Amino acid sequence: MSTPAMIEADGLCKQFGSFLAIRDVTFSIPQGQVVAFLGPNGAGKSTTMKLLTGFMAPTRGSARIAGIDVREDRIAAAERLGYLPENGPLYPDMTPLGLLQFFGAARGLSGARLRERIDAAVDLCVLADVAHKPIGKLSKGYRQRVSMAQAILHDPDVLIMDEPTSGLDPNQIRGVRALIRELGKTKTVLVSTHILQEVEPVAARVLFIHDGKIVFDGAPAELARRGGSLEEAFHELTAQPV
């Protein structure tokens, strides 16, 4: 039996005035796969992710999460989806525990189920030591972990993460990589980055976008062979506009 597709883009296009930000983006990610969404700054990664999550409507094409058309039933798709935008939704005066209680209630969780999911998110994201401290007093690495905790709080099947290691120091980056690998054991994960070193440690597959179009879809090793190294492949794929 074939593995069901959990993230699907079908001919996605997004136009802002005369500017075509992404064009005919099409791919499918099966259940249980961790995929790196790679490309230079301004290539269309964040726009594509906003279309996949329903944060933004496409000019043309469609997006599906766990088989649910995001445009037709955004609420049902959101129930299956955890989204970590580049700047996660945090309230600096709240504690991580208070934030998770707030988001859990907003998602309809309550009672024992809410406590169970908060405990699981705190444990997985290693937040116990800071659970009662104001978020505004936490390091950027811990704030990123809080953002990830809210994304997984409702135990979604699909996770979409936009630049989760942006601005972190090397130790914090290692922690986030380890967390993504752990999440990838049970969930379908799409994680965007423009940092080559983020690809091989976490992902089995690379989608490379340039100038709003998918220009490579394959394994990290295959991408490296294409140019002799990931750096050379990156340069080759972005040397000319599509």
Side-chain angles (χ1 to χ4, degrees):
M1 186 178 294
S2 61
T3 305
M6 297 300 286
I7 304 175
E8 298 171 273
D10 186 7
L12 282 178
C13 297
K14 183 61 180 180
Q15 191 162 348
F16 299 97
S18 60
F19 174 61
L20 192 58
I22 65 165
R23 57 193 86 184
D24 298 318
V25 168
T26 298
F27 59 82
S28 177
I29 302 176
Q31 187 176 39
Q33 192 172 68
V34 179
V35 177
F37 197 29
L38 185 63
N41 289 329
K45 299 188 299 297
S46 292
T47 298
T48 302
M49 288 186 151
K50 288 175 181 176
L51 297 177
L52 290 172
T53 58
F55 185 84
M56 186 184 291
T59 304
R60 294 189 301 278
S62 62
R64 289 181 293 278
I65 299 295
I68 302 166
D69 190 299
V70 176
R71 196 168 191 175
E72 291 182 0
D73 196 345
R74 185 180 175 187
I75 299 301
E79 291 174 354
R80 309 290 296 275
L81 171 68
Y83 177 38
L84 176 65
E86 188 171 0
N87 296 301
L90 299 178
Y91 300 99
D93 293 334
M94 280 187 171
T95 64
L97 187 60
L99 185 90
L100 294 176
Q101 290 170 337
F102 172 75
F103 275 106
R107 285 191 171 275
L109 300 174
S110 62
R113 176 59 176 166
L114 177 56
R115 291 192 296 272
E116 173 192 326
R117 288 308 309 154
I118 288 175
D119 288 346
V122 166
D123 182 56
L124 189 58
C125 297
V126 195
L127 291 171
D129 289 345
V130 299
H132 299 282
K133 295 181 180 179
I135 291 170
K137 300 291 186 181
L138 302 181
S139 69
K140 185 163 185 179
Y142 269 121
R143 292 199 301 272
Q144 193 73 320
R145 286 178 175 273
V146 174
S147 293
M148 296 179 89
Q150 68 80 23
I152 65 172
L153 180 61
H154 58 300
D155 197 20
D157 301 302
V158 176
L159 286 169
I160 293 179
M161 302 180 179
D162 194 356
E163 302 280 0
T165 61
S166 177
L168 302 185
D169 68 33
N171 287 333
Q172 293 166 341
I173 288 172
R174 286 186 61 160
V176 172
R177 284 179 185 166
L179 180 54
I180 292 172
R181 285 195 295 269
E182 184 65 26
L183 292 169
K185 293 177 181 178
T186 58
K187 303 184 185 303
T188 304
V189 182
L190 177 64
V191 52
S192 83
T193 183
H194 64 278
I195 303 171
L196 298 178
Q197 291 85 351
E198 295 305 300
V199 176
E200 289 181 302
V202 300
R205 176 182 170 196
V206 175
L207 290 167
F208 197 111
I209 188 169
H210 172 50
D211 202 20
K213 230 177 147 48
I214 300 293
V215 294
F216 176 85
D217 181 356
E222 182 184 346
L223 178 62
R225 284 195 299 270
R226 178 188 179 113
S229 68
L230 285 175
E231 289 80 2
E232 288 299 322
F234 192 103
H235 176 72
E236 177 189 323
L237 289 169
T238 59
Q240 300 292 332
V242 175

